[in-house]
Coordinates of all heavy atoms in Angstrom, one line a residue:
G22 N 93.3 86.6 100.5 CA 94.2 87.7 100.6 C 93.3 89.0 100.7 O 92.2 89.0 100.3
H23 N 94.0 90.0 100.9 CA 93.4 91.4 100.9 C 94.5 92.4 100.1 O 95.5 92.2 100.2 CB 93.3 91.9 102.3 CG 92.2 91.3 103.0 ND1 92.3 90.2 103.7 CD2 90.8 91.7 103.1 CE1 91.1 89.8 104.3 NE2 90.2 90.7 103.8
V24 N 93.8 93.3 99.5 CA 94.6 94.4 98.9 C 94.1 95.7 99.5 O 92.9 95.9 99.7 CB 94.3 94.4 97.3 CG1 95.0 95.6 96.7 CG2 94.6 93.1 96.7
Y25 N 95.2 96.6 99.8 CA 94.9 97.8 100.4 C 95.5 99.0 99.5 O 96.5 98.7 98.8 CB 95.6 97.9 101.8 CG 95.0 96.9 102.7 CD1 95.6 95.7 102.9 CD2 93.8 97.1 103.4 CE1 95.2 94.7 103.7 CE2 93.3 96.2 104.2 CZ 93.9 94.9 104.3 OH 93.5 93.9 105.2
D26 N 95.0 100.1 99.6 CA 95.6 101.2 98.9 C 96.6 102.1 99.7 O 97.0 101.5 100.8 CB 94.4 102.3 98.4 CG 93.7 103.0 99.7 OD1 94.3 102.9 100.8 OD2 92.8 103.6 99.4
E27 N 97.2 103.1 99.2 CA 98.2 103.8 99.9 C 97.8 104.4 101.3 O 98.8 104.6 102.1 CB 98.8 104.9 98.9 CG 97.8 106.1 98.8 CD 96.8 105.9 97.8 OE1 96.6 104.8 97.2 OE2 96.1 106.9 97.4
S28 N 96.6 104.5 101.5 CA 96.1 104.9 102.8 C 95.7 103.8 103.8 O 95.1 104.0 104.8 CB 95.0 105.9 102.7 OG 95.4 107.0 102.0
N29 N 96.1 102.5 103.4 CA 95.7 101.3 104.1 C 94.2 101.0 104.1 O 93.9 100.4 105.1 CB 96.3 101.4 105.6 CG 97.8 101.4 105.5 OD1 98.5 100.9 104.5 ND2 98.4 101.9 106.5
N30 N 93.5 101.5 103.2 CA 92.1 101.3 103.1 C 91.8 100.0 102.2 O 92.6 99.9 101.2 CB 91.3 102.5 102.6 CG 91.3 103.7 103.5 OD1 91.1 103.5 104.6 ND2 91.7 104.8 103.0
P31 N 90.9 99.2 102.4 CA 90.5 98.1 101.5 C 90.3 98.7 100.2 O 89.7 99.6 99.9 CB 89.3 97.5 102.1 CG 89.3 97.9 103.4 CD 90.0 99.3 103.5
F32 N 91.0 97.9 99.1 CA 90.9 98.5 97.7 C 90.0 97.5 96.9 O 90.4 96.3 96.6 CB 92.3 98.3 97.2 CG 92.6 99.4 96.1 CD1 93.9 99.8 95.8 CD2 91.6 99.9 95.3 CE1 94.2 100.7 94.8 CE2 91.9 100.8 94.2 CZ 93.1 101.2 94.0
A33 N 88.9 98.0 96.5 CA 87.8 97.2 95.9 C 88.1 97.2 94.3 O 88.7 98.4 93.8 CB 86.4 97.6 96.1
G34 N 87.7 96.2 93.5 CA 87.8 96.2 92.1 C 89.1 96.0 91.5 O 89.4 96.2 90.2
V35 N 90.1 95.6 92.2 CA 91.5 95.3 91.7 C 91.6 94.0 91.2 O 91.0 93.0 91.7 CB 92.5 95.5 92.9 CG1 93.9 95.1 92.6 CG2 92.4 96.9 93.6
N36 N 92.3 93.9 90.1 CA 92.5 92.6 89.3 C 93.7 91.8 90.0 O 94.7 92.3 90.2 CB 92.8 92.8 87.9 CG 91.7 93.4 87.1 OD1 90.6 93.0 87.3 ND2 91.9 94.4 86.4
V37 N 93.3 90.6 90.4 CA 94.2 89.7 91.0 C 94.3 88.4 90.1 O 93.3 87.8 89.9 CB 93.9 89.3 92.4 CG1 94.9 88.5 93.1 CG2 93.7 90.6 93.3
S38 N 95.5 88.0 89.7 CA 95.6 86.8 88.8 C 96.7 85.9 89.3 O 97.7 86.3 89.9 CB 95.7 87.1 87.4 OG 96.9 87.9 87.2
I39 N 96.6 84.6 89.0 CA 97.6 83.6 89.2 C 98.1 83.4 87.8 O 97.4 82.8 86.8 CB 97.2 82.4 89.7 CG1 96.8 82.7 91.3 CG2 98.2 81.2 89.7 CD1 96.2 81.5 92.1
D40 N 99.3 83.8 87.5 CA 99.8 83.7 86.1 C 99.9 82.4 85.3 O 99.5 82.2 84.2 CB 101.3 84.3 85.9 CG 101.4 85.8 86.3 OD1 100.3 86.4 86.7 OD2 102.5 86.3 86.4
A41 N 100.2 81.4 86.1 CA 100.3 80.0 85.6 C 99.0 79.5 85.1 O 98.8 78.7 84.0 CB 100.9 79.0 86.5
T42 N 97.9 79.8 85.8 CA 96.5 79.3 85.5 C 95.8 80.2 84.6 O 94.8 79.9 83.9 CB 95.7 79.0 86.8 OG1 95.4 80.2 87.4 CG2 96.4 78.1 87.6
G43 N 96.1 81.5 84.6 CA 95.4 82.6 83.8 C 94.0 82.9 84.4 O 93.3 83.7 83.9
T44 N 94.0 82.5 85.7 CA 92.7 82.8 86.5 C 92.8 84.2 87.1 O 93.8 84.5 87.6 CB 92.5 81.8 87.6 OG1 92.5 80.5 87.1 CG2 91.1 82.0 88.4
T45 N 91.8 85.0 86.9 CA 91.8 86.4 87.4 C 90.4 86.7 88.2 O 89.4 86.1 87.8 CB 91.9 87.4 86.2 OG1 93.1 87.2 85.6 CG2 91.8 88.8 86.8
H46 N 90.5 87.2 89.3 CA 89.5 87.7 90.1 C 89.6 89.1 90.4 O 90.7 89.7 90.3 CB 89.4 86.9 91.4 CG 89.1 85.4 91.2 ND1 87.9 85.0 91.0 CD2 90.0 84.3 91.3 CE1 87.9 83.7 90.9 NE2 89.2 83.2 91.0
Q47 N 88.5 89.7 90.9 CA 88.5 91.2 91.4 C 88.3 91.1 92.9 O 87.5 90.5 93.3 CB 87.6 92.0 90.7 CG 87.9 92.4 89.2 CD 87.2 93.5 88.7 OE1 85.9 93.7 89.1 NE2 87.6 94.3 87.8
T48 N 89.0 92.1 93.6 CA 88.8 92.2 95.0 C 87.3 92.7 95.2 O 86.7 93.5 94.4 CB 89.7 93.1 95.6 OG1 89.6 94.5 95.0 CG2 91.1 92.6 95.6
D49 N 86.7 92.3 96.4 CA 85.3 92.7 96.7 C 85.3 94.1 97.4 O 86.5 94.8 97.5 CB 84.6 91.7 97.5 CG 85.2 91.5 98.9 OD1 86.1 92.3 99.4 OD2 84.9 90.5 99.5
S50 N 84.4 94.6 98.0 CA 84.3 95.8 98.7 C 85.1 96.0 99.9 O 85.5 97.1 100.4 CB 82.8 96.2 98.9 OG 82.3 95.3 99.9
N51 N 85.6 94.8 100.4 CA 86.6 94.8 101.5 C 88.0 94.5 101.1 O 88.9 94.3 101.9 CB 86.1 93.7 102.4 CG 84.8 94.0 103.1 OD1 84.5 95.0 103.6 ND2 84.0 93.0 103.1
G52 N 88.2 94.6 99.8 CA 89.6 94.4 99.2 C 89.9 93.0 99.3 O 91.1 92.5 99.1
Y53 N 88.9 92.1 99.4 CA 89.3 90.6 99.6 C 89.2 89.8 98.3 O 88.5 90.2 97.4 CB 88.2 90.0 100.6 CG 88.4 88.5 100.8 CD1 89.4 87.9 101.6 CD2 87.6 87.6 100.2 CE1 89.5 86.7 101.9 CE2 87.7 86.3 100.4 CZ 88.7 85.8 101.2 OH 88.8 84.4 101.4
F54 N 90.2 88.9 98.2 CA 90.2 88.0 97.0 C 90.4 86.6 97.6 O 91.1 86.4 98.6 CB 91.2 88.5 95.9 CG 92.6 88.4 96.5 CD1 93.3 87.1 96.2 CD2 93.3 89.3 97.1 CE1 94.7 87.0 96.6 CE2 94.6 89.3 97.5 CZ 95.2 88.1 97.2
E55 N 90.1 85.7 96.7 CA 90.2 84.2 97.0 C 90.4 83.4 95.8 O 89.6 83.6 94.8 CB 89.0 83.7 98.0 CG 89.2 82.4 98.3 CD 88.0 82.0 99.2 OE1 87.9 82.5 100.3 OE2 87.1 81.1 98.8
F56 N 91.3 82.5 95.7 CA 91.3 81.5 94.7 C 91.1 80.1 95.2 O 91.6 79.7 96.4 CB 92.7 81.5 94.1 CG 93.0 82.8 93.2 CD1 93.5 83.8 93.8 CD2 92.6 82.8 91.9 CE1 93.7 85.0 93.0 CE2 92.8 83.9 91.1 CZ 93.4 85.0 91.7
D57 N 90.2 79.3 94.6 CA 90.1 77.9 95.0 C 91.2 77.1 94.3 O 91.2 77.0 93.1 CB 88.8 77.4 94.5 CG 87.6 78.0 95.2 OD1 87.7 78.4 96.5 OD2 86.5 78.3 94.5
I58 N 92.0 76.5 95.0 CA 93.1 75.7 94.5 C 92.9 74.3 95.0 O 92.8 74.0 96.2 CB 94.4 76.2 95.1 CG1 94.8 77.6 94.6 CG2 95.6 75.3 94.6 CD1 96.0 78.3 95.3
P59 N 92.6 73.4 94.0 CA 92.3 71.9 94.3 C 93.4 71.3 95.0 O 94.6 71.6 94.8 CB 92.1 71.4 92.9 CG 92.1 72.5 91.9 CD 92.6 73.6 92.5
A60 N 92.9 70.4 96.0 CA 94.0 69.7 96.9 C 94.9 68.9 96.0 O 96.0 68.7 96.4 CB 93.1 68.8 97.8
E61 N 94.4 68.4 94.9 CA 95.3 67.7 94.0 C 96.4 68.4 93.2 O 97.1 67.9 92.4 CB 94.5 66.6 93.0 CG 93.7 67.4 92.0 CD 92.3 67.8 92.5 OE1 92.0 67.7 93.6 OE2 91.6 68.4 91.6
Q62 N 96.2 69.7 93.2 CA 97.1 70.7 92.6 C 98.5 70.4 93.0 O 98.7 70.4 94.3 CB 96.7 72.1 92.9 CG 97.7 73.2 92.2 CD 97.2 73.8 91.0 OE1 96.1 73.5 90.6 NE2 98.1 74.6 90.4
P63 N 99.5 70.2 92.2 CA 100.9 69.9 92.5 C 101.4 71.1 93.2 O 101.1 72.3 92.9 CB 101.6 69.6 91.2 CG 100.7 70.2 90.1 CD 99.3 70.2 90.6
K64 N 102.2 70.8 94.2 CA 102.9 71.9 95.0 C 103.9 72.5 94.1 O 104.5 71.9 93.3 CB 103.5 71.4 96.4 CG 102.5 70.6 97.2 CD 101.8 71.6 98.0 CE 100.9 70.9 98.9 NZ 99.7 71.5 99.3
G65 N 104.2 73.7 94.3 CA 105.3 74.4 93.6 C 105.1 75.9 93.6 O 104.1 76.4 94.2
E66 N 105.8 76.5 92.8 CA 105.7 78.1 92.8 C 104.5 78.5 91.9 O 104.2 78.0 91.0 CB 107.0 78.7 92.4 CG 107.4 78.4 91.0 CD 108.8 79.2 90.6 OE1 109.7 78.8 91.2 OE2 108.8 80.0 89.7
F67 N 104.0 79.6 92.3 CA 103.1 80.3 91.5 C 103.4 81.8 91.7 O 103.8 82.4 92.6 CB 101.6 79.9 91.8 CG 101.2 80.5 93.2 CD1 100.7 81.6 93.4 CD2 101.5 79.6 94.3 CE1 100.2 82.0 94.7 CE2 101.1 80.0 95.6 CZ 100.4 81.2 95.7
R68 N 103.0 82.6 90.5 CA 103.2 83.9 90.5 C 101.9 84.6 90.6 O 101.0 84.5 89.8 CB 104.0 84.5 89.3 CG 104.3 85.8 89.3 CD 105.3 86.2 88.0 NE 105.7 87.5 88.3 CZ 106.6 88.0 87.4 NH1 107.2 87.3 86.4 NH2 106.9 89.3 87.5
L69 N 101.8 85.5 91.5 CA 100.5 86.4 91.8 C 100.8 87.8 91.2 O 101.9 88.4 91.4 CB 100.3 86.4 93.3 CG 99.1 87.0 93.6 CD1 98.0 86.1 93.3 CD2 99.0 87.4 95.1
T70 N 99.9 88.2 90.3 CA 99.9 89.6 89.9 C 98.8 90.5 90.2 O 97.6 89.9 90.1 CB 100.0 89.6 88.3 OG1 101.2 88.8 87.9 CG2 100.1 91.0 87.7
V71 N 98.9 91.5 90.8 CA 97.8 92.4 91.1 C 97.9 93.8 90.5 O 99.0 94.4 90.6 CB 97.9 92.7 92.8 CG1 96.8 93.6 93.2 CG2 98.0 91.3 93.4
S72 N 96.9 94.2 89.8 CA 97.0 95.4 89.0 C 95.7 96.3 89.1 O 94.7 95.8 89.2 CB 97.4 95.1 87.6 OG 96.3 94.4 87.1
Q73 N 96.0 97.5 89.0 CA 94.9 98.5 88.9 C 95.4 99.7 88.2 O 96.6 100.2 88.4 CB 94.4 98.9 90.4 CG 93.4 99.9 90.5 CD 92.1 99.4 90.0 OE1 91.8 98.3 89.8 NE2 91.2 100.3 89.5
T74 N 94.5 100.3 87.4 CA 94.9 101.5 86.6 C 95.4 102.6 87.6 O 94.7 103.0 88.6 CB 93.8 102.1 85.7 OG1 93.3 101.0 84.9 CG2 94.1 103.2 84.9
G75 N 96.5 103.2 87.2 CA 97.1 104.3 88.1 C 98.0 103.9 89.2 O 98.3 104.8 90.0
Y76 N 98.1 102.6 89.4 CA 98.9 102.0 90.5 C 100.0 101.2 90.0 O 99.9 100.6 88.9 CB 98.0 101.3 91.5 CG 97.1 102.1 92.3 CD1 96.0 102.7 91.8 CD2 97.5 102.5 93.5 CE1 95.3 103.7 92.6 CE2 96.8 103.2 94.4 CZ 95.6 103.9 93.8 OH 95.0 104.8 94.6
N77 N 101.2 101.1 90.7 CA 102.1 100.2 90.3 C 101.7 98.7 90.4 O 101.0 98.4 91.4 CB 103.4 100.3 91.3 CG 104.0 101.7 91.1 OD1 104.3 102.1 90.0 ND2 104.6 102.2 92.2
T78 N 102.0 97.9 89.5 CA 101.6 96.5 89.4 C 102.4 95.7 90.4 O 103.7 95.9 90.5 CB 101.8 95.9 88.0 OG1 101.0 96.6 87.2 CG2 101.5 94.4 87.9
Y79 N 101.7 94.9 91.2 CA 102.5 94.0 92.2 C 102.6 92.7 91.6 O 101.7 92.1 91.1 CB 101.7 94.1 93.5 CG 102.0 93.1 94.5 CD1 103.0 93.3 95.6 CD2 101.7 91.7 94.5 CE1 103.4 92.5 96.4 CE2 102.1 90.8 95.5 CZ 103.0 91.2 96.4 OH 103.3 90.3 97.3
R80 N 103.9 92.2 91.6 CA 104.1 90.7 91.2 C 105.1 90.2 92.3 O 106.0 90.6 92.6 CB 104.8 90.6 89.8 CG 104.0 91.1 88.6 CD 104.7 90.9 87.4 NE 103.9 91.3 86.3 CZ 103.8 92.6 85.7 NH1 104.6 93.5 86.2 NH2 103.0 92.8 84.8
E81 N 104.6 88.9 92.7 CA 105.4 88.1 93.6 C 105.3 86.7 93.4 O 104.2 86.2 93.0 CB 104.8 88.5 95.1 CG 105.6 87.8 96.1 CD 107.0 88.5 96.4 OE1 107.0 89.8 96.3 OE2 107.9 87.8 96.8
T82 N 106.4 86.0 93.5 CA 106.4 84.5 93.4 C 106.4 83.9 94.6 O 107.1 84.2 95.6 CB 107.6 84.0 92.6 OG1 107.6 84.6 91.3 CG2 107.7 82.5 92.5
Y83 N 105.4 82.9 94.9 CA 105.2 82.1 96.1 C 105.5 80.7 95.9 O 105.3 80.2 94.8 CB 103.8 82.3 96.6 CG 103.4 83.7 97.0 CD1 102.9 84.6 96.1 CD2 103.6 84.2 98.3 CE1 102.6 86.0 96.5 CE2 103.3 85.5 98.8 CZ 102.7 86.2 97.8 OH 102.5 87.6 98.2
F84 N 106.0 80.0 96.9 CA 106.4 78.6 96.8 C 105.3 77.8 97.6 O 105.1 76.6 97.4 CB 107.7 78.4 97.3 CG 108.7 78.9 96.3 CD1 109.3 80.2 96.6 CD2 109.1 78.3 95.2 CE1 110.2 80.8 95.7 CE2 110.1 79.0 94.3 CZ 110.6 80.1 94.7
Q85 N 104.5 78.5 98.4 CA 103.4 77.9 99.0 C 102.5 79.1 99.4 O 103.0 80.2 99.5 CB 103.8 77.1 100.2 CG 104.5 77.8 101.4 CD 104.8 76.9 102.5 OE1 104.8 75.7 102.5 NE2 105.2 77.6 103.5
I86 N 101.2 78.8 99.6 CA 100.3 79.7 100.1 C 100.5 79.9 101.6 O 100.4 79.1 102.4 CB 98.8 79.2 99.9 CG1 98.7 79.0 98.4 CG2 97.8 80.3 100.3 CD1 97.3 78.3 98.0
P87 N 100.8 81.3 102.0 CA 100.9 81.5 103.4 C 99.6 81.2 104.2 O 98.5 81.6 103.7 CB 101.2 83.1 103.4 CG 101.6 83.4 102.1 CD 100.9 82.4 101.1
K88 N 99.8 80.5 105.4 CA 98.7 80.2 106.2 C 97.9 81.4 106.7 O 96.7 81.3 107.0 CB 99.2 79.3 107.3 CG 99.6 78.0 106.8 CD 100.0 77.1 108.1 CE 100.7 75.8 107.8 NZ 100.3 74.9 106.8
T89 N 98.6 82.6 106.8 CA 97.9 83.7 107.4 C 97.3 84.6 106.2 O 96.8 85.6 106.5 CB 99.0 84.6 108.2 OG1 99.9 84.9 107.1 CG2 99.5 83.9 109.4
G90 N 97.4 84.1 105.0 CA 96.8 85.0 103.9 C 97.9 85.8 103.4 O 98.9 85.9 103.8
I91 N 97.5 86.6 102.3 CA 98.4 87.6 101.6 C 97.8 88.9 101.8 O 96.6 89.1 101.4 CB 98.5 87.0 100.2 CG1 99.2 85.7 100.1 CG2 99.4 88.1 99.4 CD1 99.2 85.1 98.6
E92 N 98.6 89.8 102.3 CA 98.2 91.1 102.3 C 99.1 92.0 101.2 O 100.4 91.9 101.4 CB 98.3 91.7 103.7 CG 97.4 91.2 104.7 CD 97.3 91.9 105.9 OE1 98.2 92.7 106.2 OE2 96.4 91.7 106.8
I93 N 98.5 92.8 100.5 CA 99.2 93.6 99.4 C 98.8 95.0 99.5 O 97.7 95.3 99.7 CB 98.8 93.0 98.1 CG1 99.2 91.5 97.9 CG2 99.4 93.8 96.9 CD1 98.5 90.8 96.8
Y94 N 99.7 95.9 99.5 CA 99.6 97.3 99.6 C 100.1 97.9 98.2 O 101.2 97.8 97.8 CB 100.4 97.8 100.7 CG 99.9 97.3 102.1 CD1 100.4 96.0 102.5 CD2 98.9 98.0 102.7 CE1 99.9 95.5 103.7 CE2 98.5 97.6 104.0 CZ 99.0 96.3 104.5 OH 98.6 95.8 105.6
L95 N 99.1 98.4 97.5 CA 99.5 99.1 96.2 C 99.8 100.5 96.4 O 99.1 101.2 97.2 CB 98.3 98.9 95.2 CG 98.0 97.5 94.8 CD1 96.8 97.5 93.8 CD2 99.2 96.9 94.0
K96 N 100.7 100.9 95.5 CA 101.1 102.4 95.6 C 100.9 103.0 94.3 O 101.0 102.4 93.2 CB 102.7 102.5 95.9 CG 103.1 101.9 97.3 CD 104.5 102.1 97.5 CE 104.8 101.6 99.0 NZ 106.2 101.6 99.2
P97 N 100.4 104.3 94.4 CA 100.1 105.0 93.0 C 101.5 105.1 92.2 O 102.5 105.4 92.8 CB 99.5 106.4 93.4 CG 99.4 106.3 94.9 CD 100.2 105.1 95.5
K98 N 101.2 105.1 91.0 CA 102.2 105.4 90.0 C 102.8 106.9 90.3 O 101.9 107.8 90.4 CB 102.0 105.3 88.6 CG 101.8 103.7 88.2 CD 101.5 103.6 86.7 CE 101.3 102.1 86.3 NZ 101.1 102.0 85.0
S99 N 104.0 107.1 90.0 CA 104.4 108.5 90.1 C 104.0 109.2 88.8 O 103.7 108.6 87.8 CB 105.9 108.6 90.3 OG 106.6 108.1 89.2
K100 N 104.1 110.6 88.8 CA 103.7 111.3 87.7 C 104.6 111.1 86.4 O 104.2 111.2 85.3 CB 103.6 112.8 87.9 CG 102.5 113.1 88.9 CD 102.5 114.5 89.3 CE 101.3 114.8 90.4 NZ 101.3 116.2 90.7
N101 N 105.8 110.5 86.7 CA 106.8 110.2 85.7 C 106.7 108.9 85.1 O 107.3 108.5 84.1 CB 108.2 110.5 86.1 CG 108.5 111.7 86.7 OD1 107.8 112.8 86.1 ND2 109.4 112.0 87.6
E102 N 105.7 108.0 85.6 CA 105.6 106.6 85.1 C 104.4 106.6 84.0 O 103.4 107.3 84.2 CB 105.2 105.7 86.2 CG 106.5 105.6 87.2 CD 106.2 104.6 88.3 OE1 106.3 103.5 88.0 OE2 106.0 105.1 89.4

């Protein structure tokens, strides 16, 4: 998948995790992240969390991995948050 900032630029260094496994990766300089999911992994839902200091945390539950990949757009926190 890819993570973008509020200006639609690739967002490097963002934490991306799958909650059930506790596995966390950081996006690369192109905002890209990847998880290796074994073929024997049971099908089912998984929750993806994407976080970066100063930005709203993104959480989404998926029931399968989209064939086209996942694109996430982070928005900065408002001054009141």
Side-chain angles (χ1 to χ4, degrees):
H23 286 89
V24 179
Y25 301 95
D26 66 13
E27 70 278 10
S28 299
N29 296 333
N30 295 312
F32 207 159
V35 175
N36 294 313
V37 182
S38 63
I39 296 179
D40 293 358
T42 64
T44 306
T45 300
H46 294 278
Q47 284 194 330
T48 56
D49 67 12
S50 61
N51 296 312
Y53 180 76
F54 67 91
E55 181 177 293
F56 287 93
D57 292 325
I58 300 175
E61 67 273 5
Q62 173 101 5
K64 303 282 186 217
E66 70 179 57
F67 65 95
R68 187 170 184 175
L69 189 71
T70 300
V71 182
S72 61
Q73 178 66 18
T74 303
Y76 285 78
N77 292 320
T78 298
Y79 171 93
R80 289 186 181 93
E81 185 73 35
T82 299
Y83 293 89
F84 295 95
Q85 65 181 9
I86 299 169
K88 293 185 191 302
T89 59
I91 298 170
E92 291 189 350
I93 298 162
Y94 297 85
L95 291 184
K96 295 182 180 179
K98 288 184 178 180
S99 68
K100 292 180 182 178
N101 296 330
E102 293 182 77

